[in-house]
Amino acid sequence: MRDDQVERIKLLSEEIADDMIDTACVAMDIGLKSKQERGDKAFLYGMIKNQAGVLATIQRVLDVKSGAIPPISATKATQEKYEQNLIKKAEANAAKLKQRMS
């Protein structure tokens, strides 16, 4: 993975974290008195869970790249392919979450 990609991933994770915090703030402002409110709150908590999953995936890629955790694959080529697939999945999930928020 190139250094510019790592920087883009770090920025992406910061944006997702900001979105997750905003979503949590909205969820906290919703009451529990009506069925509609409970449903809205549950939906937002589901979004927060998905955002946290995306952040965890991104952090795993960054940790592997930095050497904080060992790579999954035995060869450098297969590890690069694995990392690229994780990046694509994380970016796709982030795009979906951003689209829901807008």
Side-chain angles (χ1 to χ4, degrees):
M1 183 182 325
R2 297 185 320 258
D3 290 339
D4 65 312
Q5 290 174 323
V6 171
E7 290 305 315
R8 285 179 44 211
I9 290 171
K10 287 179 183 177
L11 291 174
L12 179 65
S13 69
E14 289 175 13
E15 289 178 23
I16 295 168
D18 288 340
D19 288 346
M20 189 173 72
I21 292 167
D22 292 342
T23 305
C25 289
V26 171
M28 295 304 296
D29 289 339
I30 296 175
L32 295 171
K33 294 178 183 174
S34 71
K35 186 175 183 177
Q36 178 70 39
E37 287 177 328
R38 289 189 300 273
D40 291 346
K41 188 170 251 198
F43 174 77
L44 290 173
Y45 283 154
M47 285 179 62
I48 294 166
K49 179 182 171 190
N50 290 337
Q51 290 164 328
V54 170
L55 281 173
T57 302
I58 289 171
Q59 188 60 49
R60 175 147 177 75
V61 169
L62 292 174
D63 288 347
V64 168
K65 179 65 180 166
S66 70
I69 58 174
I72 292 174
S73 301
T75 66
K76 185 173 179 140
T78 55
Q79 181 62 33
E80 287 285 328
K81 185 176 178 182
Y82 173 75
E83 290 175 4
Q84 291 300 323
N85 286 336
L86 283 180
I87 291 167
K88 288 178 187 175
K89 286 180 186 178
E91 288 176 344
N93 286 338
K96 286 179 190 176
L97 291 171
K98 266 194 153 179
Q99 189 175 22
R100 284 186 194 169
M101 291 296 293
S102 56

